[in-house]
Amino acid sequence: MRYAVFSDVHANLEAFSAVVKALEKEKAEGLIYLGDIVGYGPEPAGCIDTLRKLTDIIVAGNHDRGAVGMTDIRGFNPYARAAIEWTGAVLSDEHREFLKNLPLTQSIEENSTFLMHGTPGDPESWYYLHNKFDAAENFSHFKEMICLVGHSHIPAIFEINSEGMINLYYDSVEIKKGFRYIINVGSVGQPRDGNPDAAYAILTDDSLTIKRVSYDIVVTQKKMREAGLPESLIKRLSVGL
Ligand code: ZN
């Protein structure tokens, strides 16, 4: 099975459209979305509509739940909070219902793959998986071979062998029998690894590859300014941080 996997669109329809266009050539048989379709960006409704047409393998992110009052946004930084309050105010009832009904986790049994936005250890607390120590704690919290996550906006592939040794890759990995994986596929709409291009991944039975695609960042920034979103969120898109 060949899946396209993507996460953290964050209402950036320009970036999302570039990824959708790239996916047309990928011949994926399934699409997996790992959360945060809204927040930060200027087009939450357009992004929700696009996502719904693409797939129903979707999990909820903290911004999806924050926009509809299902998670406490007092822990968000002031800019993220301003953007999520703006998002909550512009969403239609239908889009709110869609976000409210997204599950926290999903499992694709035939591919031994578990999905969530944050961490398998505590998917509702929105912890981050930044390093090998974070990964080591979380491998015992799912039974599948592969766990796909989003949230940090930084692509990272953690591989553990039967003796508990962890390897970290950033671009691609060969999926091998006897190993297990926690994989962050990066962000479509707000990358934070220093590369401003939209990120997505292709997952097959024997490999995962992170791919990047450029989009017209200036157009998204113009729409954000028109919406009155915070300047710091607008500027960070140029540098991918
Ligand atoms: Zn996010």
Side-chain angles (χ1 to χ4, degrees):
M1 188 83 179
R2 185 178 168 88
Y3 285 99
V5 189
F6 57 112
S7 188
D8 293 274
V9 163
H10 282 296
N12 185 341
L13 191 56
E14 298 303 317
F16 195 9
S17 301
V19 168
V20 171
K21 200 166 171 222
L23 292 183
E24 285 167 13
K25 293 179 200 140
E26 294 284 5
K27 298 194 169 63
E29 298 154 280
L31 293 172
I32 295 171
Y33 186 66
L34 300 169
D36 277 1
I37 189 68
V38 303
Y40 297 127
E43 291 181 278
C47 288
I48 291 173
D49 289 340
T50 302
L51 180 64
R52 289 169 84 175
K53 279 183 217 145
L54 286 176
T55 185
D56 53 7
I57 309 176
I58 305 169
V59 290
N62 52 321
H63 288 252
D64 303 324
R65 293 210 157 180
V68 294
M70 287 174 75
T71 203
D72 190 352
I73 60 166
R74 284 176 298 181
F76 282 33
N77 73 53
Y79 308 112
R81 191 168 160 176
I84 211 67
E85 284 168 352
W86 176 87
T87 303
V90 300
L91 285 176
S92 68
D93 287 347
E94 191 199 338
H95 289 148
R96 295 175 68 80
E97 274 311 297
F98 170 78
L99 294 178
K100 279 183 184 173
N101 288 317
L102 292 176
L104 266 182
T105 67
Q106 288 212 49
S107 184
I108 306 174
E109 275 174 34
E110 61 271 31
N111 292 87
S112 193
T113 302
F114 192 44
L115 323 172
M116 89 282 310
H117 186 67
T119 58
D122 188 355
E124 208 166 358
S125 291
W126 315 115
Y127 295 126
Y128 289 93
L129 264 161
H130 280 310
N131 53 47
K132 288 184 186 180
F133 300 102
D134 300 335
E137 274 184 35
N138 276 281
F139 270 110
S140 61
H141 291 284
F142 63 100
K143 62 182 186 326
E144 292 81 356
M145 184 184 184
I146 300 169
C147 175
L148 299 172
V149 303
H151 197 36
S152 74
H153 301 200
I154 299 170
I157 302 163
F158 300 97
E159 175 191 77
I160 193 166
N161 69 12
S162 55
E163 278 138 36
M165 222 186 84
I166 295 177
N167 294 313
L168 172 57
Y169 309 94
Y170 295 100
D171 300 320
S172 64
V173 72
E174 185 193 339
I175 308 273
K176 302 177 285 288
K177 278 208 177 96
F179 290 74
R180 295 173 71 230
Y181 301 86
I182 297 176
I183 300 167
N184 189 314
V185 299
S187 167
V188 171
Q190 197 201 72
R192 293 179 191 161
D193 61 338
N195 177 350
D197 291 347
Y200 67 96
I202 295 295
L203 172 67
T204 69
D205 292 336
D206 50 18
S207 70
L208 179 127
T209 307
I210 306 282
K211 302 206 173 185
R212 305 304 283 257
V213 56
S214 62
Y215 72 97
D216 199 336
I217 294 170
V218 173
V219 172
T220 297
Q221 290 171 319
K222 186 168 173 278
K223 290 175 183 172
M224 289 174 80
R225 271 197 193 97
E226 283 164 6
L229 289 160
E231 193 62 27
S232 65
L233 298 179
I234 296 169
K235 285 195 174 128
R236 74 188 300 181
L237 292 180
S238 304
V239 287
L241 288 173

